[in-house]
């Protein structure tokens, strides 16, 4: 790294590399992209490059593992780790997804950031509206999906499958309540007129045995109220779409609106 020296032997640690990137980029620089996502514990693409935001007027080239991004929108608020400055989650997500070419990958990242409460849909919408338009199409589509209730890549796959099927579209992640206002569940997909719910069962989101137990309890609560629950794995949705659609189609034909179940969307 030109003008930057490591006063130790051995391979630099990720933190040392990030410090070197900031020293090379100069005063006021901010680390963004996958390196910032990792600090915020948001899933992102694997890369050895460190993306750094610098003032638009600064004349400096990429070097080694540092990729510089000149911008007139330097963040006014940053996340600190000692002397290191990282973009906040919404900006880091926005700067990362504009380089991706897969809607599924973009949707997974946006959903993960919102699902884990690192940022809100409103935060991401602001980044979308104030950031560059180049590369924003997939970001816009993924953000629309998440705003409509999509909370994971697997749910996005289900939405895409249903959109091509000719079946009526469900509500995603709607809240269901008893007639007395008692919360029942928030299924991944819900057809209120037919009393049919689809649950995408993924070990990826079952972070502990207790999470899996809660999933089973939620499905039992729906079953007791006459709701027909169809569980599918993400793999089934991806590799056996005809089977999944056939099961949903049959359920919608035989299903009926359950008594005393109210639906609330966010």
């Amino acid at each position: 790294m030109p003008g930057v020296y490591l006063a130790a032997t051995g391979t630099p640690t990720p933190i040392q590399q990030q410090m070197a990137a900031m020293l090379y980029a100069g005063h006021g620089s901010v680390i963004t992209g996958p390196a910032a996502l990792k600090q915020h514990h948001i899933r992102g693409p694997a890369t050895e490059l460190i993306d750094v935001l610098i003032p638009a007027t600064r004349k400096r080239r990429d070097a080694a593992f540092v990729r510089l991004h000149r911008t007139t929108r330097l963040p006014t608020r940053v996340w600190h780790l000692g002397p290191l400055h990282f973009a906040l989650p919404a900006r880091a997500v926005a700067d990362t997804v504009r380089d991706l070419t897969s809607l599924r990958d973009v949707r997974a990242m946006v959903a993960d950031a919102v699902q884990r409460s690192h940022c809100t849909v409103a935060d991401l919408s602001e980044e979308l509206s104030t950031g560059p338009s180049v590369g924003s199409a997939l970001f816009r589509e993924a953000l629309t999906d998440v705003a409509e209730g999509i909370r994971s890549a697997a749910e996005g796959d289900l939405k895409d499958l249903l959109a091509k099927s000719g079946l009526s579209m469900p509500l995603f992640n709607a809240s269901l309540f008893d007639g007395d206002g008692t919360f029942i569940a928030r299924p991944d997909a819900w057809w209120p007129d037919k009393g049919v719910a689809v649950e995408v069962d993924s070990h990826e989101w079952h972070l502990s045995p207790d999470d899996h137990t809660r999933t089973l309890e939620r499905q039992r609560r729906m079953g007791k109220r006459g709701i027909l629950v169809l569980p599918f794995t993400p793999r089934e949705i991806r590799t056996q779409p005809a089977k999944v659609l056939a099961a949903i189609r049959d359920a919608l034909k035989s299903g009926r609106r359950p008594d005393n179940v109210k639906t609330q969307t966010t």
Side-chain angles (χ1 to χ4, degrees):
M1 190 64 59
V4 180
Y5 299 88
L6 177 64
T9 59
T11 303
T13 67
I15 293 296
Q16 289 172 330
Q17 287 186 312
Q18 291 164 2
M19 190 68 249
M22 285 197 62
L23 289 172
Y24 174 70
H27 177 72
S29 59
V30 179
I31 297 172
T32 189
L37 291 180
K38 188 173 182 179
Q39 289 297 327
H40 295 307
H41 304 288
I42 300 172
R43 70 185 62 193
T47 177
E48 295 181 356
L49 296 175
I50 298 175
D51 296 279
V52 185
L53 300 171
I54 62 174
T57 56
R58 184 166 298 164
K59 304 297 183 182
R60 192 154 297 180
R61 296 181 179 181
D62 297 349
F65 51 82
V66 177
R67 183 165 56 183
L68 301 177
H69 302 267
R70 296 177 180 81
T71 179
T72 59
R73 297 177 52 249
L74 276 174
T76 56
R77 296 173 55 239
V78 297
W79 187 80
H80 296 272
L81 179 64
L84 299 176
H85 297 167
F86 294 91
L88 296 181
R91 179 63 182 268
V93 169
D95 287 341
T96 302
V97 299
R98 286 190 174 92
D99 287 334
L100 301 182
T101 58
S102 164
L103 174 59
R104 191 174 193 275
D105 292 342
V106 174
R107 188 191 276 143
M109 190 181 307
V110 171
D112 186 57
V114 174
Q115 175 81 353
R116 300 180 188 272
S117 300
H118 292 296
C119 57
T120 65
V121 171
D123 295 331
L124 292 167
S125 296
E126 182 176 357
E127 287 294 337
L128 176 63
S129 62
T130 59
S133 58
V134 176
S136 65
L138 295 181
F139 185 19
R140 187 180 305 278
E141 185 173 351
L143 188 55
T144 299
D145 289 342
V146 173
E148 291 177 351
I150 299 299
R151 290 294 180 265
S152 71
E155 290 177 25
D157 292 340
L158 176 64
K159 175 182 179 291
D160 292 341
L161 179 62
L162 291 170
K164 301 173 184 177
S165 69
L167 296 173
S168 60
M169 291 298 288
L171 301 175
F172 291 95
N173 287 284
S175 299
L176 309 186
F177 296 88
D178 259 342
D180 62 3
T182 302
F183 177 74
I184 302 171
R186 188 175 295 110
D188 297 322
W190 167 241
W191 286 264
D193 292 340
K194 300 296 184 181
V196 174
V198 167
E199 292 269 89
V200 182
D201 289 338
S202 174
H203 293 297
E204 180 180 5
W205 295 103
H206 295 153
L207 303 181
S208 71
D210 288 341
D211 290 332
H212 183 62
T213 298
R214 283 192 290 269
T215 296
L216 297 178
E217 291 175 349
R218 181 176 68 251
Q219 293 176 354
R220 284 194 290 266
R221 288 198 304 270
M222 288 190 282
K224 289 179 180 178
R225 290 160 176 85
I227 296 171
L228 181 56
V229 183
L230 301 178
F232 299 107
T233 66
R235 181 178 178 83
E236 285 179 306
I237 294 171
R238 292 195 308 270
T239 64
Q240 303 179 56
K243 173 186 172 182
V244 171
L245 288 176
I248 295 174
R249 186 175 290 109
D250 290 344
L252 293 177
K253 288 179 180 178
S254 60
R256 62 180 181 85
R257 181 191 291 271
D259 297 331
N260 296 323
V261 174
K262 298 181 179 179
T263 302
Q264 178 180 318
T265 59
T266 56

